[in-house]
Amino acid sequence: MSTRSIAYPEPPTLGIARTIAVFGKETKYEFLKLMRNRSFSLAVIAFPIMFYLLFGVTNRGANSNGIYMARYLLGGYACFGLIGAALFGIGVGLAGERSMGWLEVKRASPMPPMAYLVAKCMGAIGFGLIIVTALTVLAVTMGGVSLTAPELAKMYGISVVGSISFASMGFLLALLVPANAAPGIVNLIYLPMSFMSGLWMPIQYLPHWLQQIAPALPMYHLAQLMLRIFGYANSTSVMSHWFGLAGFTMVMLGTSWLVFNRAQQNA
């Protein structure tokens, strides 16, 4: 007795226009969700602004060895802010959603899997640009800093690159760290690395042994790219910082992929 096999139609594939619309809508609602989460949006935006007011604006006339602190700290706290938006928005936020099972719900939906991750990354970029814009307005209006249009454009470009790079670190942390421990662990990584990378003060003011450690830190390479816009980077090749940041991003993404696949096999 022969049995008939039933052929099920393949699910229809989305066209390019429809795919772009899905990605755009997911990004829109991710950004709105972050904005409405006051404990996230206010803290992520307010902290770099507060620090710049305390240490940048109050030292607007300070000039140490040719370094104008208000101008230097604009670059430093811009990096500090955009990194915080990426690590807390993705590292902490995604860890919480994973613990609540929201990641499984998204995967079961007909939405393209990459739309969820791209929306997270775009949310980090959006908040990074908001922070850089707010700091720039403060620096120009209250800190006595002058910026040309090309310098501002370069700041935005580096901000986008930095947000994408540290979003990759946020993805890995979200896969490895329990949701209830995520904020503390992110702070344990984020704050010491910010200090050692020269985001809060010129790196030449740090102890010599910390200056030797700094080139191994990804935040250092991002800071040097940003500070180069203002003429305060060190004498090393700019390509070494691009390679350092790109290598860090590839390692984070590759490790995230391995961890995710391992979790799926054990599920």
Side-chain angles (χ1 to χ4, degrees):
M1 179 177 173
S2 62
T3 59
R4 292 177 58 189
S5 60
I6 301 175
Y8 292 96
E10 293 185 0
T13 56
L14 298 176
I16 295 177
R18 181 61 177 164
T19 301
I20 293 174
V22 169
F23 275 64
K25 185 163 289 190
E26 184 70 15
T27 299
K28 172 187 173 181
Y29 289 120
E30 174 67 22
F31 188 78
L32 287 176
K33 182 194 73 175
L34 293 175
M35 286 296 294
R36 290 170 179 172
N37 183 357
R38 302 302 184 193
S39 61
F40 169 79
S41 59
L42 292 180
V44 164
I45 295 173
F47 267 104
I49 290 176
M50 179 187 68
F51 286 140
Y52 188 74
L53 286 171
L54 290 174
F55 303 111
V57 172
T58 56
N59 291 305
R60 56 178 295 173
N63 178 4
S64 178
N65 298 322
I67 298 176
Y68 289 90
M69 294 305 296
R71 189 172 171 87
Y72 180 96
L73 291 177
L74 171 59
Y77 284 123
C79 293
F80 178 73
L82 68 90
I83 292 169
L87 294 184
F88 283 97
I90 298 177
V92 177
L94 184 55
E97 293 177 5
R98 181 173 61 88
S99 69
M100 293 186 293
W102 188 241
L103 192 57
E104 282 72 19
V105 173
K106 287 288 190 179
R107 290 180 57 216
S109 71
M111 179 186 71
M114 283 301 296
Y116 180 68
L117 299 180
V118 170
K120 291 287 185 186
C121 187
M122 294 302 294
I125 292 173
F127 269 84
L129 294 178
I130 290 172
I131 292 167
V132 171
T133 301
L135 289 173
T136 301
V137 171
L138 279 177
V140 172
T141 59
M142 301 176 64
V145 175
S146 60
L147 284 175
T148 64
E151 288 174 338
L152 185 58
K154 290 177 183 178
M155 281 187 70
Y156 283 133
I158 296 297
S159 298
V160 171
V161 171
S163 296
I164 294 172
S165 181
F166 284 91
S168 67
M169 184 178 185
F171 287 134
L172 180 59
L173 289 173
L175 294 172
L176 294 176
V177 176
N180 57 352
I185 292 176
V186 167
N187 273 319
L188 285 175
I189 297 171
Y190 172 49
L191 297 179
M193 285 179 65
S194 297
F195 173 74
M196 291 188 291
S197 299
L199 302 187
W200 298 350
M201 65 177 68
I203 197 166
Q204 54 266 39
Y205 296 167
L206 299 179
H208 182 71
W209 65 274
L210 283 180
Q211 296 183 36
Q212 299 300 311
I213 294 174
L217 304 175
M219 292 183 186
Y220 168 81
H221 295 291
L222 176 61
Q224 291 299 309
L225 292 172
M226 185 70 80
L227 293 171
R228 187 172 294 274
I229 299 171
F230 306 106
Y232 295 140
N234 58 24
S235 58
T236 55
S237 168
V238 65
M239 292 307 299
S240 66
H241 301 305
W242 282 113
F243 286 138
L245 202 60
F248 163 76
T249 305
M250 292 299 103
V251 169
M252 292 293 103
L253 290 176
T255 308
S256 298
W257 182 79
L258 291 174
V259 171
F260 182 77
N261 282 345
R262 179 71 60 85
Q264 292 302 111
Q265 292 172 4
N266 295 335

